[in-house]
Amino acid sequence: MASKLLRQTLTKTNRSAAIRCFSTAASVASPSEYEYPTGITMKGVKISGRPLYLDMQATTPVDPRVLDSMLPFYLSRYGNPHSRTHLYGWESETAVETARAQVAALIGASPKEIVFTSGATESNNISIKGVMHFYKDKKRHIITTQTEHKCVLDSCRHLQQEGFEVTYLPVGSDGLIDLDRLGKEIRSDTGLVSVMAVNNEIGVVQPIEEIGKICKEFNVPFHTDAAQALGKIKVDVEKWNVSLMSLSGHKIYGPKGVGALYLRRRPRIRVEPQMNGGGQERGIRSGTVPTPLVVGMGAACELAMKEMEYDENRIKGLQERLLNGIREKIDGVVVNGSMDRRYVGNLNLSFAYVEGESLLMGLKEVAVSSGSACTSASLEPSYVLRALGVDEDMAHTSIRFGIGRFTTEEEIDRAVELTVKQVEKLREMSPLYEMVKEGIDIKQIQWAQH
């Protein structure tokens, strides 16, 4: 459906335009259109052409239909939505309110409960710091998990420096929290519980509805970072009983630089603004609302609402094709996180007896990552995998494959081929793998130190 539309859009472009085109799964449909005669060299790495894109948790390509909705607000309807004295401002304001309703509809909220922000990171900061600062006289304790996105963890550490107390809940080997443990950790001065809906690194879906019930029972506000959940799994703020929810545009085939914060009206939750200015967005997030970006996010939400079921079924088939294709050819492949409670577009795999950095560099024809895009510059093993109890050597070899709306079967097959080839190549050079094949238990070996 959407992939056909994108393919048609791409094939209409001329050769010079095609070179500047999106890096999406649809690009494999017509290889001759995307050939680079001399290859591409960037950051010291040379490859024959644009790599296959399988990093959908980092960001998604903008759906062409989303782009179509945005363009008029760059070219002709460019008014400031806060200008109340002329047509340009009125039509921009109308477009913003339409987008607000589109976002609200996808999560079962009222448009009056949606505040536009620059992205999920800002929404998380407003939620965590804003709530705790507003209720600081009576509430000094916050609960979150060890596997949250870095911006949530850093916001909590910032609060700790201000004298607030933070409880970081551990997770099991499947990545899920213990609900009984959560209930026991709630105190009379607990001001907020913050748990991510879908984990960005391992795709695990937390039992958000059950968490919401516990928070309601103890009358504690509940915040969830739903950047990876929006448009991918069914989100219902009433069923989930969330007080605040962070959303992102560029994770659902919308533009970068825009997000939203759901802020419950009844019972009302209050936050202290983190930015001062003109009082836009009910004073919660000052600054001119970027009409084209907001329109794009609204359109992306509307498309997700219509196509979520279709996308999920298709992506599930591609995920199974990828996992089965790899496991049929090599052993020692471990899926990180629960397979039962998992978003189908995320597949985080560890490959035994392989050095992770070498594996990533060897897969330069496939755009994948070893974890969150916000922490991938670090050579340390993923803190999320360490929280699951994954051994350090296996945590170092993890690869996150992100599958999305525009991914094709051809891309999956090519990714399987390249991954298997690189793992086999690295294992041929690994003395540990040779020892394992000979039946030696390397964990029982006492290595001599020199």
Side-chain angles (χ1 to χ4, degrees):
M1 193 185 300
S3 54
K4 288 182 182 177
L5 180 66
L6 180 57
R7 200 173 293 126
Q8 290 167 3
T9 304
L10 294 175
T11 51
K12 286 178 184 176
T13 59
N14 59 35
R15 188 183 245 316
S16 61
I19 289 176
R20 299 191 302 273
C21 224
F22 319 121
S23 169
T24 69
S27 65
V28 299
S30 176
S32 61
E33 291 281 306
Y34 303 92
E35 287 176 357
Y36 289 75
T38 58
I40 306 172
T41 301
M42 189 170 288
K43 295 191 181 247
V45 177
K46 184 169 184 178
I47 51 179
S48 59
R50 296 188 73 79
L52 310 177
Y53 189 78
L54 290 177
D55 200 15
M56 295 292 179
Q57 277 72 54
T59 195
T60 57
V62 174
D63 190 300
R65 295 166 292 181
V66 170
L67 184 60
D68 285 344
S69 71
M70 295 169 61
L71 287 176
F73 297 93
Y74 279 119
L75 303 174
S76 56
R77 303 178 185 179
Y78 41 76
N80 186 319
H82 312 296
S83 296
R84 302 294 169 86
T85 58
H86 51 69
L87 175 66
Y88 289 88
W90 300 334
E91 62 188 4
S92 290
E93 181 186 24
T94 300
V96 167
E97 295 311 312
T98 298
R100 200 184 305 277
Q102 290 169 322
V103 174
L106 186 56
I107 63 173
S110 162
K112 294 178 180 178
E113 297 175 308
I114 302 299
V115 173
F116 285 115
T117 66
S118 63
T121 291
E122 184 181 4
S123 297
N124 285 335
N125 273 263
I126 294 173
S127 298
I128 295 166
K129 296 176 188 173
V131 166
M132 297 309 293
H133 285 162
F134 191 89
Y135 298 102
K136 62 185 176 183
D137 291 339
K138 295 181 179 179
K139 304 295 182 180
R140 306 292 299 177
H141 177 236
I142 184 170
I143 299 174
T144 189
T145 78
Q146 295 176 359
T147 56
E148 293 298 303
H149 191 278
K150 195 172 187 297
C151 67
V152 169
L153 296 177
D154 280 0
S155 294
C156 288
R157 291 191 188 101
H158 180 84
L159 288 174
Q160 282 181 288
Q161 292 172 353
E162 295 181 355
F164 291 88
E165 292 182 60
V166 181
T167 297
Y168 298 94
L169 292 175
V171 296
S173 58
D174 56 3
L176 300 172
I177 68 165
D178 182 334
L179 294 173
D180 292 334
R181 175 79 178 267
L182 168 62
K184 291 174 182 175
E185 294 290 353
I186 294 177
R187 310 182 330 203
S188 59
D189 66 339
T190 300
L192 188 69
V193 171
S194 180
V195 179
M196 180 187 285
V198 175
N199 189 273
N200 54 307
E201 287 195 32
I202 56 177
V204 166
V205 182
Q206 294 288 352
I208 297 297
E209 191 171 339
E210 290 81 355
I211 295 170
K213 287 177 182 176
I214 293 171
C215 291
K216 186 174 184 179
E217 178 187 345
F218 286 93
N219 196 29
V220 174
F222 175 33
H223 164 255
T224 185
D225 176 354
Q228 298 288 347
L230 185 70
K232 298 169 186 174
I233 65 172
K234 288 185 179 179
V235 175
D236 187 323
V237 294
E238 294 303 325
K239 277 188 179 179
W240 286 10
N241 192 52
V242 292
S243 303
L244 311 100
M245 179 186 291
S246 302
L247 308 170
S248 174
H250 74 103
K251 309 292 188 183
I252 55 166
Y253 312 96
K256 297 172 181 63
V258 66
L261 170 64
Y262 162 76
L263 204 60
R264 182 176 287 276
R265 296 181 77 210
R266 294 185 181 88
R268 189 181 184 189
I269 183 73
R270 304 288 296 275
V271 296
E272 180 182 276
Q274 300 300 295
M275 188 184 301
N276 300 315
Q280 293 90 343
E281 295 298 279
R282 306 201 311 275
I284 294 164
R285 202 282 184 182
S286 291
T288 302
V289 172
T291 308
L293 301 183
V294 163
V295 166
M297 183 173 182
C301 286
E302 186 171 89
L303 287 171
M305 197 166 182
K306 294 176 181 176
E307 301 182 5
M308 193 189 313
E309 186 177 349
Y310 173 84
D311 283 348
E312 182 180 8
N313 291 334
R314 184 173 170 278
I315 291 169
K316 184 178 181 181
L318 294 175
Q319 183 224 52
E320 291 172 353
R321 190 183 186 102
L322 176 63
L323 181 58
N324 294 337
I326 292 174
R327 280 184 161 169
E328 283 171 5
K329 295 179 175 66
I330 52 176
D331 58 5
V333 179
V334 177
V335 178
N336 294 308
S338 171
M339 278 300 289
D340 297 326
R341 294 189 59 91
R342 186 187 204 93
Y343 165 58
V344 294
N346 180 306
L347 192 60
N348 190 304
L349 303 177
S350 286
F351 300 87
Y353 320 114
V354 169
E355 203 281 310
E357 186 95 358
S358 302
L359 179 57
L360 264 182
M361 292 306 297
L363 287 174
K364 57 190 177 182
E365 291 183 50
V366 185
V368 290
S369 72
S370 58
S372 169
C374 301
T375 55
S376 61
S378 170
L379 295 178
E380 290 296 310
S382 160
Y383 68 87
V384 172
L385 297 185
R386 295 296 296 275
L388 267 63
V390 177
D391 291 340
E392 187 166 333
D393 55 343
M394 288 295 278
H396 268 298
T397 70
S398 70
I399 298 289
R400 183 186 66 184
F401 295 90
I403 305 166
R405 181 180 293 168
F406 300 120
T407 309
T408 65
E409 290 183 351
E410 291 83 1
E411 271 197 313
I412 294 296
D413 292 342
R414 180 63 174 156
V416 169
E417 177 189 345
L418 292 170
T419 302
V420 169
K421 180 180 177 182
Q422 186 63 18
V423 170
E424 289 179 337
K425 177 182 175 183
L426 292 173
R427 282 180 175 174
E428 283 176 9
M429 299 184 287
S430 170
L432 293 179
Y433 188 60
E434 285 296 319
M435 295 167 72
V436 169
K437 285 202 297 183
E438 292 172 6
I440 301 172
D441 185 353
I442 59 175
K443 290 188 177 180
Q444 301 301 319
I445 297 175
Q446 294 184 349
W447 303 96
Q449 294 185 353
H450 297 282

